[in-house]
Amino acid sequence: MRFDLPTPDDHTREFWDAAREGKLLIKRCAACRRAHYYPRTFCPHCWSTKVSWEEASGRGSLYTYSVVHHNDLPPFDERVPYVAAIVELDEGPRVMTNVVDCDLGALRVGMAVQVQFRSLTEDLSIPVFRPA
């Protein structure tokens, strides 16, 4: 079993199917109108269960980041150095992710980023971000 792979379930399958097609989905609450990420069956702001999927623009800004130079756990040990980051989407939610295709010296809080997708398996892709 690979511990680095997400396990789609009935509540997240639409998200993972969209990611495989290169689309980033978030959820929006019909009660308070706030968007949120990661996929949940309820709104983390007002607790309403009236949430639905919407496609995000994929644009955002780098909220914070850390460059990881040492990680003993496979497969991450093969990826160092890598950028662990939180991206604030233009729609509002913050996403834990990686920044890719960026010179480490060019990283800046507030820099514009754009989603792209990293294929992990034939059926599973994850959103990562690169400079816009």
Side-chain angles (χ1 to χ4, degrees), residues 1-5 7 74:
M1 172 187 230
R2 287 186 54 182
F3 67 88
D4 65 317
L5 295 178
T7 306

Side-chain angles (χ1 to χ4, degrees), residues 52-88:
S52 59
W53 295 106
E54 71 177 51
E55 186 174 352
S57 67
R59 293 183 303 272
S61 61
L62 188 57
Y63 182 77
T64 190
Y65 68 94
S66 180
V67 179
V68 179
H69 292 278
H70 183 78
N71 188 334
D72 291 334
L73 299 173
F76 306 106
D77 58 344
E78 300 167 1
R79 298 179 186 160
V80 292
Y82 63 88
V83 181
I86 296 178
V87 166
E88 187 166 59

